[in-house]
Amino acid sequence: MEPSAEGPLLRTPLTDAFGRPLRDLRVSVTDRCNFRCVYCMPKEVFGPDYAFLPRAEILTFEEIARLTAVFARLGVRKIRLTGGEPLLRRDLPTLVRMVAAVPGIEDVALTTNGALLTRLAEPLAEAGLRRVTVSLDALDDETFARMNGVGFPVARVLAGIEAAERAGLRPIKVNAVIRRGLNEHAVLDLARRFRGTGHVVRFIEYMDVGTANGWRLDDVVPAAEILAQLDRAFGLEPIPPEAPGEVATRYRYRDGAGEVGVIASVTRPFCRGCTRARVSTDGKLFTCLFASAGFDLRRLLREGATDDEIEAAIRAVWSGRRDRYSELRSRATQRRRKVEMFYIGG
Ligand code: SAM
Ligand code: SF4
Ligand code: SF4
């Protein structure tokens, strides 16, 4: 059957070479960041002279909204704005409003380091943002400063989380990357702080995204170790996934104090359920976080392609997709050149 032009629900379902549908879209709205996290943009590599993308190369709001509409025609219902630090993109609430208005888009979410959330939570929620994930890797300033690379204080991120709460962006997910020798003690601190609040802390295994962070397997704290710590301290039991393709494995505290999760992309890869497409700051389509190259959607947009032509291009890329990097991870795959997380959108 030919795909119909009448609406997203009537089109031929799009699946990749392993039968995985395209469900979620992540867009990196800027490659810049006000932090220099050791695991993402270490300050030794991303110093004052680092050349970020010039403005003309970055997708405009209109281009992002147009791509979102084409992705929605292909079955995408959820969009997450990320980066870099998305709150550094000027007028971000305007973009939220534009993508929230796209027919078919049911959920607009954001991942942020929280530094500017106190000022922006309210306008973002008003514009149609539904959910926010705030990254926070420790609760003591000394460790957090070592993680974020710029000495940013914990209290200001916590104030951002409170502002998001007040703006109705609940429940909040709090992401913490745990790196061996740096912040293992933050596991119990963060769990204790957010138990009973309704917010969900998710502990992320340190991943070999990009090449700048100098990743070593020895620096990964396996999810099993994190879970054992939590279980000893509070008692945990597993709970089923909320939605298909969910990357976090969910647990609840036995005493009813809420939920916690781990994202174990190194020790328990979840490529089989991976339904995410990513669009980089300059409009390249990536079908895996660990890819080396993407498909240039910006060129199509700027050369006057029609929506149908852009849709056909995305279909072709997705239907040929065979990515399963984490399942195949080895010394050889790690040495491959890979794009950086702040550019592709974490
Ligand atoms: N700047 C925002 C933030 O930090 O939340 C959004 C972009 S950041 C790239 C998205 C997420 O990726 C953050 O939660 C961050 O902790 C995570 N991340 C970055 N580098 C990582 C790595 N090497 N391993 C695991 N997670 C990583
Ligand atoms: Fe910036 Fe987020 Fe990367 Fe940290 S993880 S350097 S906050 S983009
Ligand atoms: Fe998806 Fe690639 Fe991650 Fe596997 S490694 S879950 S295919 S992004």
Side-chain angles (χ1 to χ4, degrees), residues 27-282:
V27 179
S28 172
V29 298
T30 177
D31 59 341
R32 287 160 201 264
C33 190
N34 44 358
F35 283 12
R36 287 291 179 272
C37 300
V38 279
Y39 49 77
C40 180
M41 298 176 81
K43 59 173 181 271
E44 300 73 27
V45 181
F46 299 91
D49 298 332
Y50 185 81
F52 289 97
L53 287 168
R55 202 190 168 96
E57 293 203 13
I58 292 174
L59 289 188
T60 64
F61 287 178
E62 287 69 24
E63 288 170 332
I64 294 173
R66 183 157 170 231
L67 285 181
T68 306
V70 177
F71 276 100
R73 284 167 38 161
L74 288 166
V76 164
R77 296 288 165 265
K78 279 169 47 182
I79 175 164
R80 179 171 292 273
L81 305 178
T82 175
E85 175 45 43
L87 301 191
L88 290 181
R89 179 84 189 244
R90 196 179 308 157
D91 292 333
L92 191 68
T94 303
L95 176 64
V96 168
R97 200 176 298 284
M98 287 164 76
V99 294
V102 168
I105 294 298
E106 293 161 4
D107 192 7
V108 184
L110 173 83
T111 304
T112 171
N113 62 26
L116 301 172
L117 209 46
T118 334
R119 187 159 47 85
L120 283 164
E122 189 73 49
L124 285 166
E126 267 169 25
L129 187 72
R130 291 268 304 273
R131 295 179 301 130
V132 66
T133 298
V134 181
S135 305
L136 177 61
D137 300 322
L139 281 175
D140 62 289
D141 277 329
E142 197 189 323
T143 312
F144 190 46
R146 236 181 289 144
M147 298 299 284
N148 67 50
V150 295
F152 199 84
V154 172
R156 284 179 56 195
V157 179
L158 292 175
I161 292 176
E162 279 159 25
E165 255 175 57
R166 281 196 302 277
L169 297 166
R170 309 181 52 101
I172 293 160
K173 287 187 178 139
V174 178
N175 275 359
V177 176
I178 303 301
R179 224 189 95 161
R180 180 75 74 203
L182 277 181
N183 67 335
E184 286 126 305
H185 62 281
V187 171
L188 292 186
D189 291 354
L190 286 161
R192 231 175 253 120
R193 171 67 178 72
F194 290 102
R195 266 164 53 83
T197 63
H199 306 320
V200 180
V201 184
R202 291 145 14 125
F203 296 101
I204 307 179
E205 284 180 349
Y206 173 39
M207 296 186 284
D208 49 334
V209 251
T211 38
N213 59 15
W215 185 89
R216 298 177 322 146
L217 187 58
D218 288 352
D219 293 332
V220 178
V221 181
E225 193 177 316
I226 294 170
L227 288 169
Q229 252 197 78
L230 291 167
D231 191 34
R232 266 196 310 273
F234 309 111
L236 290 184
E237 59 193 24
I239 46 176
E242 220 169 17
E246 189 172 48
V247 298
T249 316
R250 302 167 68 208
Y251 294 82
R252 61 179 214 93
Y253 295 111
R254 281 185 199 277
D255 63 3
E259 185 184 327
V260 66
V262 287
I263 302 181
S265 107
V266 178
T267 61
R268 282 193 236 149
F270 35 76
C271 299
R272 227 155 289 185
C274 182
T275 56
R276 291 177 174 176
R278 294 180 154 87
V279 172
S280 65
T281 318
D282 58 355

Side-chain angles (χ1 to χ4, degrees), residues 16 20 207 247 265 269-276 278 287-291 321-329:
D16 71 7
R20 296 170 296 188
M207 296 186 284
V247 298
S265 107
F270 35 76
C271 299
R272 227 155 289 185
C274 182
T275 56
R276 291 177 174 176
R278 294 180 154 87
T287 56
C288 181
L289 189 51
F290 300 91
R321 173 184 189 243
R322 310 186 77 85
D323 304 304
R324 52 194 199 102
Y325 178 92
S326 288
E327 288 180 353
L328 303 174
R329 184 181 275 111

